[in-house]
Amino acid sequence: MPAPAPTPSKDRKVLGRLSLPERNFVAEALRTETVGGVLLLLAAIAALIWANSGLKESYESVRDFHLGPASLGLDLSIGHWAADGLLAVFFFVAGIELKRELVAGDLKDPRAAVLPVVAALCGMAVPALVYTLVSSTGGGSLAGWAVPTATDIAFALAVLAVIGTSLPSALRAFLLTLAVVDDLFAILIIAVFFTDDLNFAALGGAVVSLAVFWLLLRKGIRGWYVYIPLALVIWGLMYNSGIHATIAGVAMGLMLRCTRREGEEHSPGERIEHLVRPLSAGLAVPLFALFSAGVAVSGNAIGEVFTRPETLGVVLGLVVGKAVGIFGGTWLTARFTRAELSEELAWPDVFAVSSLAGIGFTVSLLIGELAFEGDEVLTDEVKAAVLTGSLIAAVLAGTLLKIRNAKYRKLWEAEELDEDLDGIPDVYEQDNPEYHLRMADIYERKAAEHRRLAEVTAGASEENDGPA
């Protein structure tokens, strides 16, 4: 996702105002992600209610129901299809977002990319370190070190939508870019640390199929009836190779062209992302949440989250590690690159957004399943820890953001103000001479209207004061 794109200079600003194209792109992405985040939140609540009600057995039977062609190695449970199949759509969109960032967004400029990359890396390293310290000190398993490293941008934006905070676009874009870089490293973690024994024949078939996919794109071949069957073949081969199947989605997303050619209003990557993002945010991720978040929650279970070293490590990693890591990475980057924080914001604002990144959920749940595969009890406990940590992070961030909500609303209203009604916010036209001529004309007409009203009012007053 896009983030603030400051022009490299001696007085470069951290979290300064976005360029107009980036602002528009962020606004469009946020609308879909926010709606998807609300659906994700509802799906998680539905899963918890379903799994903790008298219908618990029906939840487990649906989640564990197997279907698919066994001859192709795809006789999977519904929960497995959601984690490996539907999340491939989510990671496909993440791959397109990453490709766009690399060729047309913030990550294209190394100097502008330093901030989100360093912040995201610190925001993954510190939670992993917190988990390792807590779990090793308590004699727990270190297998879950990667669980608290992920950020769920859809859930974070859903929290923003619920609490009604009008964050300025620079802070929202910073959060979105963090999530893109976070997704990239989460993908690498899954590929490197959670890959089973490799089936080289299936892996070779997946690589060849990806090469065909790339050649078709390069030749400009169009048609969903070509790419969807090919994508299913790539996914199936990747799954059978032993590498997590979501990697197939990322690989295909990265192959799409995200730069515009002459005469194009949108690049192929932008068009496909626009079509697939609603499917990802509105269907794939909520369904994954429905079949992954259904863990048994009781007073004892919540208490155990804070007493077992593995689960306590996850909670502290999300709540403390994420906030400290991202904030520290941002501050260090600004300190050593001699960049200044935008005068419209304060460092507590950065810490509040950093706390919001502690909402792990989707990818954290996925990594939790992979890390403790085979231990159903610990898997459920870690899921409960992810839910607990994400909830605490959401409440903490919401409280911190509410404290400054009046300031954010003023910044947001200033960004949206369009007095000349030309469809472009006035803050982006302040250096345009034509804008100042239009505004002068508007102010003159308003002044004339005020004078006319004053004259009418004065005339009415004289008539009322006259003889009866």
Side-chain angles (χ1 to χ4, degrees):
M1 287 289 184
T7 302
S9 64
K10 293 182 179 179
D11 59 347
R12 187 167 59 87
K13 297 291 184 183
V14 174
L15 301 180
R17 184 181 299 125
L18 300 179
S19 65
L20 183 59
E22 288 293 279
R23 172 191 173 277
N24 293 338
F25 184 87
V26 168
E28 176 63 27
L30 284 171
R31 278 191 286 271
T32 305
E33 291 284 6
T34 302
V35 172
V38 172
L39 293 175
L40 172 62
L41 187 59
L42 293 175
I45 294 171
L48 288 170
I49 294 174
W50 192 1
N52 289 276
S53 68
L55 300 175
K56 177 182 178 180
E57 291 184 0
S58 68
Y59 176 81
E60 293 175 349
S61 64
V62 172
R63 183 193 61 193
D64 298 334
F65 181 78
H66 278 64
L67 55 87
S71 59
L72 299 178
L74 296 175
D75 182 20
L76 309 177
S77 67
I78 297 293
H80 208 158
W81 277 110
D84 281 26
L86 292 177
L87 276 196
V89 179
F90 167 79
F91 279 106
F92 174 70
V93 174
I96 299 175
E97 293 169 349
L98 179 59
K99 179 65 174 290
R100 182 189 177 278
E101 282 295 297
L102 291 171
V103 301
D106 245 17
L107 302 183
K108 180 181 180 181
D109 179 0
R111 293 187 63 179
V114 167
L115 176 64
V117 170
V118 172
L121 282 173
C122 292
M124 299 185 80
V126 176
L129 180 61
V130 168
Y131 175 92
T132 302
L133 290 174
V134 173
S135 191
S136 59
T137 301
S141 170
L142 300 182
W145 64 269
V147 175
T149 61
T151 294
D152 191 313
I153 187 59
F155 215 147
L157 291 174
V159 171
L160 289 181
V162 170
I163 65 177
T165 302
S166 299
L167 277 184
S169 57
L171 282 175
R172 288 178 178 255
F174 176 60
L175 183 61
L176 291 171
T177 305
L178 278 174
V180 170
V181 180
D182 195 289
D183 285 342
L184 168 62
F185 287 103
I187 291 160
L188 294 176
I189 287 172
I190 291 170
V192 174
F193 296 99
F194 298 104
T195 294
D196 299 327
D197 295 334
L198 289 177
N199 180 330
F200 288 100
L203 181 59
V207 171
V208 170
S209 300
L210 282 169
V212 173
F213 188 88
W214 180 79
L215 284 172
L216 292 174
L217 290 172
R218 190 173 179 83
K219 294 292 184 181
I221 305 298
R222 303 182 68 171
W224 64 268
Y225 45 83
V226 174
Y227 290 102
I228 290 182
L230 181 57
L232 292 174
V233 170
I234 294 170
W235 178 87
L237 289 169
M238 191 68 76
Y239 175 82
N240 282 287
S241 74
I243 296 177
H244 200 270
T246 53
I247 305 300
V250 179
M252 287 184 281
L254 286 171
M255 289 182 179
L256 292 173
R257 177 170 60 83
C258 292
T259 52
R260 300 177 189 178
R261 292 176 178 170
E262 186 176 353
E264 284 186 336
E265 184 177 356
H266 301 288
S267 67
E270 290 173 320
R271 288 199 307 271
I272 294 173
E273 181 187 14
H274 181 73
L275 291 173
V276 179
R277 183 185 289 279
L279 176 63
S280 170
L283 181 66
V285 175
L287 280 178
F288 167 75
L290 181 64
F291 293 110
S292 291
V295 295
V297 177
S298 64
N300 292 334
I302 297 298
E304 289 174 0
V305 164
F306 297 97
T307 56
R308 183 157 184 163
E310 295 92 344
T311 52
L312 180 61
V314 169
V315 173
L316 292 179
L318 288 171
V319 177
V320 178
K322 273 289 184 182
V324 172
I326 293 173
F327 179 81
T330 305
W331 185 86
L332 288 172
T333 302
R335 174 72 175 81
F336 287 103
T337 59
R338 297 183 180 180
E340 296 179 0
L341 185 67
S342 173
E343 60 274 4
E344 297 175 333
L345 301 172
W347 282 110
D349 301 324
V350 180
F351 186 81
V353 174
S354 302
S355 300
L356 194 61
I359 301 176
F361 205 71
T362 304
V363 181
S364 288
L365 290 175
L366 174 62
I367 295 177
E369 291 181 352
L370 298 174
F372 298 104
E373 189 174 6
D375 189 338
E376 187 174 338
V377 174
L378 187 52
T379 298
D380 281 350
E381 290 177 348
V382 167
K383 286 182 178 181
V386 169
L387 295 173
T388 303
S390 296
L391 178 61
I392 295 172
V395 173
L396 173 63
T399 302
L400 294 174
L401 291 170
K402 274 293 186 182
I403 293 173
R404 295 262 293 169
N405 195 42
K407 175 67 174 178
Y408 298 147
R409 183 165 293 280
K410 289 180 181 178
L411 294 175
W412 182 81
E413 289 174 350
E415 288 181 359
E416 297 296 316
L417 186 63
D418 182 21
E419 288 195 339
D420 57 348
L421 303 177
D422 65 346
I424 301 175
D426 296 342
V427 292
Y428 292 97
E429 297 186 289
Q430 291 174 355
D431 296 329
N432 184 350
E434 293 182 1
Y435 164 76
H436 291 290
L437 289 174
R438 288 198 305 271
M439 293 306 298
D441 180 59
I442 290 172
Y443 290 143
E444 177 58 34
R445 283 190 276 110
K446 285 184 177 179
E449 181 67 16
H450 284 307
R451 288 195 297 269
R452 188 185 68 80
L453 289 173
E455 291 172 357
V456 170
T457 302
S461 298
E462 291 177 0
E463 289 182 9
N464 291 334
D465 292 341

